[in-house]
């Protein structure tokens, strides 16, 4: 077997992950990119409003997809391109969740997929202060030119996986996972006649009467309430990117900090209230995006993380958008699906990428 897989990246119209408006796919055979495909699409009916935050990120508007087939009409072509390949995505829980939720609200069946997450692999194989797609792509030697273009993001994801396999002397995905002591994650097949809806879809269906649109909680000054640090969920999925991590929060989030801690614990993370030698992940609010690591727009906790990282501690910084993609459970009106920097502009003060 060679290094064969298909990398995938979705952009979504709004905060519900089942609202894809664009997809990019990159097929790899023997460690080389051999084919690419991309589609614009209308999201499933009833979940197709465009949130202005998402549009700010990826630039896709309702006019761009007017007259295009809906996701359900395109999925046979998307599925045919993927075939029986392992899927690769940067934060795969999100992109696989897009497929699952969009199928669920479309009332369509879908196959099972084995998949790999290049966020997880980047964290395991690189030593970066941020494992966001631009940082990981740069480390892999495939720097992004047009981040949030689905085709370019899928191509960058493919380049990261090719680079990581080469660094580990692996000639296939199975060999790479074996060398790293990891189990291959799998998203199960879905049958609308018998399958239960996922939590994001249940929430979206419940709010569909209002078309899913609501206001984001406004930025509030003052010291955020930390709340308790709940015990990690012992039954969480070990393949989740926050599983067994120690997470600390800084800055003003768009959800209450106790709620952020609860979502982390559900994914198997341990939360704490200050950065220590145990900290492995810092989630930064206040509209932070990964590029702020270079510009210097950082909280005191984030500066502390940079210091610890420079001293060799395995610790990284996440934007709130990246965090919300990982933990799911969209907040009302949130642009979660817009990608790793999706919360840029959702809070004041806004920053440029």
């Amino acid at each position: 077997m060679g290094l064969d897989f298909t990398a995938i990246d979705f952009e979504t119209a709004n905060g519900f992950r089942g609202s894809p408006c664009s997809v990019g796919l990159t097929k790899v055979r023997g460690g080389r990119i051999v084919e690419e495909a991309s589609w614009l699409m209308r999201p499933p009916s009833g979940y197709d409003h465009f949130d202005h935050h998402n549009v700010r990120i990826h630039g896709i508007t309702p006019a761009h997809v007017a007259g295009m087939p809906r996701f359900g009409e395109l999925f046979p072509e998307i599925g045919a391109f993927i075939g029986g390949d392992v899927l690769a995505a940067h934060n795969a829980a999100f992109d696989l969740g897009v497929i699952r939720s969009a199928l669920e609200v479309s009332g369509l069946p879908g196959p099972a997929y084995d998949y790999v997450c290049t966020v997880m692999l980047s964290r395991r194989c690189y030593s970066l202060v941020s494992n966001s797609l631009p940082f990981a792509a740069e480390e892999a030697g495939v720097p992004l030119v047009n981040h949030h273009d689905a085709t370019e993001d899928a191509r960058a994801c493919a380049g990261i996986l090719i680079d990581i396999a080469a660094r580990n002397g692996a000639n296939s995905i199975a060999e790479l996972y074996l060398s790293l002591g990891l189990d291959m994650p799998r998203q199960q097949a879905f049958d609308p006649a018998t399958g239960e809806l996922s939590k994001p879809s249940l929430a979206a269906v419940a709010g569909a009467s209002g078309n899913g649109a609501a206001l984001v909680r406004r930025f509030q000054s003052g010291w955020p309430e930390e709340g308790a640090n709940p015990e990690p969920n012992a039954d969480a999925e070990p393949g989740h990117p926050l599983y067994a991590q120690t997470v600390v929060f800084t800055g003003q989030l768009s959800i209450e900090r106790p709620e952020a801690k609860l979502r982390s614990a559900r994914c198997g993370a341990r939360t704490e209230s200050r950065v220590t030698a145990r900290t492995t992940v810092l989630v930064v609010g206040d509209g932070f995006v990964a590029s702020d690591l270079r510009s210097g727009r950082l909280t005191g906790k984030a500066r502390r993380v940079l210091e610890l990282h420079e001293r060799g501690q395995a610790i990284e910084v996440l934007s709130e958008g990246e965090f919300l993609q990982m933990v799911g459970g969209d907040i009302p009106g949130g642009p979660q699906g817009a990608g790793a920097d999706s919360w840029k502009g959702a809070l004041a003060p806004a920053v440029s990428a």
Side-chain angles (χ1 to χ4, degrees):
M1 292 179 62
L3 186 64
D4 302 342
F5 63 91
T6 293
I8 189 167
D9 180 81
F10 282 101
E11 302 294 331
T12 60
N14 56 69
F16 171 46
R17 62 180 54 181
S19 65
C21 59
S22 175
V23 65
L25 299 120
T26 297
K27 187 173 290 292
V28 172
R29 289 292 180 266
R32 298 177 63 87
I33 293 173
V34 297
E35 189 178 0
E36 293 186 323
S38 64
W39 287 272
L40 289 173
M41 69 194 76
R42 286 183 295 157
S45 179
Y47 306 90
D48 51 3
H49 72 281
F50 277 72
D51 187 280
H52 75 280
H53 297 299
N54 292 57
V55 174
R56 281 186 65 180
I57 296 301
H58 53 54
I60 302 169
T61 68
H64 288 121
V65 301
M68 296 290 183
R70 292 198 185 274
F71 169 84
E73 299 171 86
L74 274 176
F75 185 70
E77 291 185 64
I78 296 170
F81 186 93
I82 297 169
D85 279 4
V86 172
L87 278 177
H90 204 71
N91 191 10
F94 172 75
D95 293 281
L96 272 292
V98 171
I99 294 175
R100 176 65 183 262
S101 287
L103 287 172
E104 288 173 341
V105 297
S106 299
L108 296 172
Y113 289 110
D114 291 326
Y115 65 91
V116 300
C117 177
T118 50
V119 169
M120 292 282 290
L121 293 176
S122 173
R123 180 181 291 161
R124 190 76 175 252
C125 300
Y126 297 153
S127 180
L128 304 174
V129 73
S130 169
N131 289 290
S132 66
L133 186 59
F135 277 72
E138 182 177 323
E139 176 69 16
V142 288
L144 270 172
V145 176
N146 188 19
H147 188 21
H148 297 299
D149 175 274
T151 304
E152 292 204 26
D153 285 0
R155 188 183 305 138
C157 173
I160 293 166
L161 184 49
I162 292 169
D163 179 66
I164 288 174
R167 293 191 188 202
N168 285 274
N171 295 311
S172 68
I173 300 296
E175 191 175 320
L176 174 63
Y177 266 64
L178 182 64
S179 69
L180 296 175
L182 300 173
D183 293 324
M184 180 81 68
R186 183 175 178 85
Q187 177 161 285
Q188 298 301 320
F190 173 70
D191 182 346
T194 58
E196 295 183 358
L197 295 183
S198 59
K199 289 182 180 179
S201 295
L202 286 171
V205 169
S209 59
N211 202 27
L215 292 176
V216 176
R217 186 174 66 84
R218 296 296 182 185
F219 177 85
Q220 299 174 354
S221 61
W223 198 263
E225 174 62 39
E226 279 287 341
N229 291 306
E231 287 296 314
N233 175 16
D235 297 321
E237 172 55 53
H240 191 278
L242 292 181
Y243 183 83
Q245 302 296 315
T246 301
V247 182
V248 174
F249 298 89
T250 184
Q252 196 79 39
L253 306 178
S254 295
I255 58 176
E256 299 294 341
R257 198 170 288 185
E259 172 66 15
K261 289 185 173 185
L262 183 60
R263 294 188 191 184
S264 301
R266 287 172 181 164
C267 297
R270 182 172 300 280
T271 63
E272 294 185 343
S273 300
R274 63 188 183 90
V275 174
T276 69
R278 294 185 298 272
T279 308
T280 58
V281 174
L282 178 72
V283 179
V284 184
D286 295 331
F288 166 86
V289 292
S291 59
D292 290 336
L293 289 167
R294 293 192 174 102
S295 69
R297 181 188 176 277
L298 300 170
T299 66
K301 283 182 179 177
R303 290 192 183 91
R304 173 67 173 154
V305 164
L306 289 178
E307 293 173 1
L308 292 173
H309 184 268
E310 289 174 358
R311 295 175 187 173
Q313 183 168 330
I315 189 169
E316 66 175 299
V317 176
L318 294 180
S319 69
E320 185 180 3
E322 292 171 302
F323 169 74
L324 287 173
Q325 281 192 338
M326 291 178 181
V327 300
D330 308 343
I331 74 165
Q336 181 176 335
D341 294 339
S342 59
W343 281 97
K344 184 181 70 177
L347 302 172
V351 297
S352 59

